[in-house]
């Protein structure tokens, strides 16, 4: 890896910064009382998060795990695949591994295949294509996820609302501000708006590993700070006037782990050590509890669709499966609307 030009290629292993910020989140009213929120916390070591939850330093994720489940999971990348964000988030978004979506990290987070993923669409686009009247949103401060930048957008453009907080320079404080903007926009929208499904991305933990090292108090503090932001998102949901009548599923996932470094490194993740390849899924919702034993990150897409009453057709050739086999009755605002999730809608 040292043979690659450091000034050009290595800096692309972290998210490429840019100036500016989008308008506040605003989307159409949702049509379902079944709702799903996926939260992505980039580059988070499971061993340290697990320790933080047990020690009371990550109380919001600990509560979510108690109410549902929380397990580590190994990324099933091929032996020549680089453990980078473009690979992990493409797998999480599309429900397939890199041998199918084609983003293997060899373009250093600049792969144009992020936008197409060999035809394996992201879960927000799948929702819109299957039931466009559902209201979807994305909030992120990593350009590749929601913007036509660096080979993205991984999540396409079909979602109803897209908030992009853009980071002006690679510093921990700038990424902290980016996550603050994402959290504030998302909590405001979750509290006052009416989305049916969304993805909220928080990048501070990963960038802290690059800029300080994951085996440092700074990284541990980033995990605690991010947990507090997860708590704000969950608090916004619970404060909704319609919350008693709604059925929410929450999934929290990371795209990769980190090497245990006590100094900054642009390649704090890149290889295939166990720490780097260990992800996790924490979640709660209807049918999601002690029954969930061995989740995989590719299970996110089929689980999201299932919880909204949508099937995952065999013809999609998805690698994951729904983490619950319970049938979901999709309740539309204005009247019941039942869908059997095994087979077609």
């Amino acid at each position: 890896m040292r043979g690659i030009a450091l000034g050009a290629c290595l800096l692309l292993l972290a998210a490429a910064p840019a100036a500016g910020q989008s308008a506040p989140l605003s989307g159409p009213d949702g049509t379902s009382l079944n709702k799903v929120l996926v939260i992505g916390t980039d580059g988070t070591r499971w061993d340290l998060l697990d320790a933080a939850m047990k020690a009371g330093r990550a109380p919001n994720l600990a509560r979510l795990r108690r109410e549902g489940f929380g397990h580590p999971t190994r990324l099933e990348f091929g032996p020549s695949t680089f453990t980078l964000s473009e690979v992990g988030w493409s797998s999480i978004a599309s429900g397939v591994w890199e041998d199918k979506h084609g983003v293997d990290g060899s373009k250093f987070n600049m792969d144009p295949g992020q936008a197409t993923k060999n035809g394996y669409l992201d879960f927000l686009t799948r929702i819109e294509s299957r039931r466009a009247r559902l209201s979807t949103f994305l909030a992120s401060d990593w350009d590749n996820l929601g913007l036509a930048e660096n080979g993205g957008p991984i999540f396409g453009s079909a979602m109803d609302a897209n908030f992009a907080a853009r980071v002006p320079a690679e510093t921990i404080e700038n990424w902290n501000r980016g996550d603050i903007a994402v959290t504030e926009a998302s909590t405001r929208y979750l509290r006052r708006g009416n989305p049916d499904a969304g993805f909220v991305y928080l990048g501070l933990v990963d960038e802290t590993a690059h800029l300080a090292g994951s085996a440092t108090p700074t990284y541990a503090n980033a995990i605690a700070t991010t947990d507090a932001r997860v708590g704000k998102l969950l608090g916004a949901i619970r404060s909704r006037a319609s919350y008693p009548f709604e059925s929410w599923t929450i999934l929290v996932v990371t795209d990769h782990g980190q090497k245990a470094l006590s100094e900054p490194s642009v390649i704090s993740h890149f290889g295939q050590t166990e720490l780097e390849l260990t992800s996790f899924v924490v979640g709660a919702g209807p049918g999601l509890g002690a029954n969930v034993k061995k989740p995989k990150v590719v299970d996110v897409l089929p689980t999201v669709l299932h919880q909204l009453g949508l099937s995952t057709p065999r013809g999609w050739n998805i690698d994951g499966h729904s983490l619950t086999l319970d049938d979901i009755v999709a309740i539309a605002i204005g009247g019941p609307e039942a869908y059997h999730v095994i087979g077609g809608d």
Side-chain angles (χ1 to χ4, degrees), residues 39-126:
I39 302 171
T41 169
D42 203 303
T44 306
R45 282 176 54 180
W46 168 257
D47 60 330
L48 298 183
L49 174 60
D50 184 45
M53 288 190 286
K54 291 175 178 176
R57 296 190 301 272
N60 297 292
L61 286 168
R63 175 181 173 181
L64 189 65
R65 179 166 65 170
R66 287 195 305 271
E67 293 175 347
F69 69 95
H71 300 290
T73 181
R74 196 177 193 276
L75 298 171
E76 298 178 9
F77 294 163
S80 60
T81 296
F82 299 125
T83 307
L84 293 177
S85 291
E86 66 173 357
V87 186
W89 292 119
S90 291
S91 296
I92 293 164
S94 66
V96 300
W97 298 112
E98 88 290 353
D99 61 329
K100 291 182 180 177
H101 64 62
V103 180
D104 63 5
S106 61
K107 302 294 192 302
F108 310 113
N109 285 340
M110 297 288 283
D111 194 325
Q114 294 170 88
T116 57
K117 296 178 291 298
N118 286 333
Y120 290 96
L121 304 176
D122 65 89
F123 59 79
L124 296 180
T125 300
R126 295 285 195 190

Side-chain angles (χ1 to χ4, degrees), residues 17-42:
Q21 183 171 312
S22 73
L25 270 171
S26 178
D29 280 342
T31 59
S32 176
L33 295 178
N34 297 317
K35 299 181 183 293
V36 181
L37 177 66
V38 180
I39 302 171
T41 169
D42 203 303

Side-chain angles (χ1 to χ4, degrees), residues 127 171 339:
I127 292 168
T171 69
Y339 302 92

